[in-house]
Amino acid sequence: IRDRDKLDSKTNEEFDKEIKADVKSCKGPKCILKRFWHFVWDEESLASYTVFILLAFVLLRFIIFPGFLFVSGFSDVAAVVSTSMHHGESIEYTFDNWLKFNNYSDEEVSLWPYQNGLDVGDVIAVKQFPPDKIYVGDIVLFYSPKGQIIHRVVEIRENNGNFYYTTKGDANGDIGDLERELSYDMIKGKLIGKVPYLGYPKVFVTHLWPF
């Protein structure tokens, strides 16, 4: 493809025609990449836009994102898309009273991280820890048949060296069936940091197209 600076005396329409002619006249295996590049970057059609979006998704999902996790040491990064960890007006009933009813002491709870829970739109980073370094009160990320769940560990059971974790959303009235006795290999990681608002694009997409 010729340099536009060398053809500044030509109109854009003439230039585009020359590019198309060059691509069309190109023969042989070496021209496949050239034609594909022209199709993705220069052609204005629904097909080219669709291919561009798919390529961008593949690049982000399978190259850039895994590379970021490898460099950062995180095991996953996820957006909070539900209110199950939000500390709203009813939190006294679903969190404080629930803990007291189940004999959790105020002293124990006061040491738990993220006392104010999580808000919709937060982006969280989680990291893998040994099974005996995940404690009651920690917030963990795991994936269930219904999708990702970011909840707080409320019970840990050890059996013959194997650890099992039960979680609960701070804003949920009780423990869900899918979060009882989770094996260690189901836990994607423990929450080590969050950034507010950054996850709203994912929230928008999730509500527009649940998956």
Side-chain angles (χ1 to χ4, degrees):
I1 298 176
R2 300 173 185 176
D3 191 340
R4 285 183 181 268
D5 293 337
K6 296 179 181 179
L7 299 172
D8 55 0
S9 61
K10 299 179 180 294
T11 64
N12 288 336
E13 184 177 352
E14 290 173 331
F15 180 78
D16 291 338
K17 286 182 178 179
E18 288 198 6
I19 291 177
K20 291 179 181 179
D22 285 346
V23 173
K24 188 175 182 180
S25 62
C26 187
K27 304 294 184 180
K30 294 182 179 180
C31 296
I32 295 176
L33 182 60
K34 183 177 181 180
R35 290 180 179 178
F36 181 74
W37 183 269
H38 170 73
F39 170 74
V40 174
W41 292 104
D42 296 324
E43 187 172 315
E44 296 184 0
S45 66
L46 179 60
S48 66
Y49 291 146
T50 302
V51 171
F52 176 81
I53 292 173
L54 290 175
L55 285 175
F57 172 78
V58 170
L59 184 65
L60 287 170
R61 179 67 180 85
F62 297 104
I63 299 177
I64 295 178
F65 185 64
F68 167 75
L69 294 181
F70 176 78
V71 172
S72 66
F74 300 147
S75 57
D76 207 347
V77 174
V80 179
V81 298
S82 78
T83 59
S84 63
M85 289 295 295
H86 176 69
H87 283 213
E89 295 180 358
S90 63
I91 196 63
E92 182 179 358
Y93 170 74
T94 62
F95 186 62
D96 298 332
N97 290 353
W98 186 91
L99 293 174
K100 292 177 181 178
F101 181 80
N102 288 278
N103 300 317
Y104 293 84
S105 68
D106 292 338
E107 181 180 2
E108 176 186 9
V109 173
S110 68
L111 299 176
W112 290 1
Y114 300 95
Q115 292 280 314
N116 296 322
L118 301 171
D119 297 319
V120 171
D122 287 348
V123 166
I124 68 164
V126 300
K127 187 175 181 179
Q128 289 183 330
F129 286 82
D132 60 344
K133 298 299 181 182
I134 298 176
Y135 306 112
V136 170
D138 286 338
I139 296 175
V140 297
L141 166 67
F142 66 95
Y143 290 90
S144 76
K146 292 186 177 180
Q148 77 172 31
I149 296 180
I150 305 167
H151 281 176
R152 194 182 300 275
V153 176
V154 293
E155 181 182 331
I156 300 175
R157 183 176 66 85
E158 182 182 359
N159 183 21
N160 294 326
N162 297 315
F163 288 78
Y164 300 91
Y165 310 87
T166 296
T167 72
K168 174 186 172 296
D170 289 0
N172 290 350
D174 209 342
I175 298 169
D177 293 336
L178 295 176
E179 49 187 334
R180 296 182 184 275
E181 297 283 309
L182 304 171
S183 60
Y184 173 70
D185 59 2
M186 295 179 64
I187 304 295
K188 190 67 177 178
K190 181 168 73 172
L191 176 60
I192 60 172
K194 68 171 184 174
V195 179
Y197 310 120
L198 195 61
Y200 272 111
K202 175 65 178 294
V203 174
F204 175 77
V205 172
T206 300
H207 284 80
L208 184 67
W209 180 30
F211 57 87

